[in-house]
DNA sequence: ACTGTACTACGAGGAATTTCGTACTACCAA
DNA sequence: TTGGTAGTACGAAATTCCTCGTAGTACAGT
């Protein structure tokens, strides 16, 4: 059974979380996880980058503490660590997601 | 009279704002502007970098729309564009500042 | 056992970021 | 006008980030 390293709540660093969310590809992933219920395999995201680049972005998000990744067979299921992030940095995630929607909609 | 370029509210990009705030030196500047009243010249910040590096960070913040810079004699007065940012990306700035205080205080 | 699927690890290239020193400009004050 | 102060512009170096292809691992299904 393969497992992946995740930072604990206390280990999450604001630097790292903001840098993770500053990249458009990674923010797209986080936003999709926030909008949709349940878990989602990496392959279901249709990102505009190659598979190995996608791996890199998923790892960056995981190491920042933004997402949780768990093996399920050959797939990796991704979930947003909303509870943990809300506990650590209250309101941050919601503000970023709201901002993303604003920018996506208007000018 | 020298003037400096600033993005309008609508021109502010989430990518750029988050990237600007992801850097610890720049976030320190923004936080200090938020805590203290009034304007503040660049030289008053005591940043752990050289003068030319400081210039670079101030410019990055200005071009992202986080701060406003206006000449006043030979000095440049810096102000946080809180109104503009709150209008464009509501709650984002407050969440980041709150997070900064949490990280500074606790673990 | 074989095939396919999902993803990773590694190495490498190119782009962007951060840093600095030096030289410079603009302004104020004496 | 001479000097000091505040900050910029430029070029260069170091580092980090993003991207990819190739090769490989782990698991599921037949």
């Amino acid at each position: 059974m393969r497992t992946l390293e995740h930072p604990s709540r206390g280990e999450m660093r604001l630097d790292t979380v903001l840098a993770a969310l500053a990249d458009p590809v990674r923010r797209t992933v986080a936003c999709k996880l926030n909008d949709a219920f349940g878990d989602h395999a990496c392959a279901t995201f249709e990102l505009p980058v190659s598979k190995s680049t996608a791996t890199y972005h998923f790892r960056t998000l995981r190491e920042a503490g933004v997402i949780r990744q768990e093996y399920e067979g050959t797939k990796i299921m991704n979930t947003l660590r909303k509870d943990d992030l809300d506990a650590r940095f209250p309101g941050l995630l919601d503000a970023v997601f709201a901002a993303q929607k604003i920018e996506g909609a208007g000018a």
Side-chain angles (χ1 to χ4, degrees), chain A:
Chain A
M1 193 53 159
R2 289 173 289 178
T3 55
L4 294 161
E5 287 273 314
H6 293 79
S8 68
R9 281 187 186 180
E11 284 166 348
M12 291 176 183
R13 300 265 289 103
L14 183 54
D15 277 19
T16 318
V17 171
L18 288 178
L21 295 174
D23 182 275
V25 173
R26 290 193 293 261
R27 206 164 54 244
T28 299
V29 169
C31 286
K32 283 189 181 177
L33 285 176
N34 190 50
D35 288 343
F37 286 118
D39 301 357
H40 298 275
C42 294
T44 66
F45 284 86
E46 301 181 24
L47 301 172
V49 291
S50 75
K51 206 157 58 154
S52 41
T53 301
T55 294
Y56 162 74
H57 285 303
F58 278 106
R59 185 174 59 234
T60 302
L61 284 167
R62 171 172 50 83
E63 288 175 349
V66 177
I67 65 172
R68 185 172 299 281
Q69 298 194 282
E70 281 166 309
Y71 274 101
E72 197 162 301
T74 82
K75 295 177 185 172
I76 288 184
M77 289 306 178
N78 299 282
T79 48
L80 189 64
R81 293 182 64 182
K82 185 141 187 9
D83 291 352
D84 290 331
L85 277 166
D86 283 349
R88 179 75 167 133
F89 301 128
L92 183 59
L93 216 42
D94 286 333
V96 170
F97 291 149
Q100 175 87 347
K101 288 206 170 71
I102 287 165
E103 201 173 57

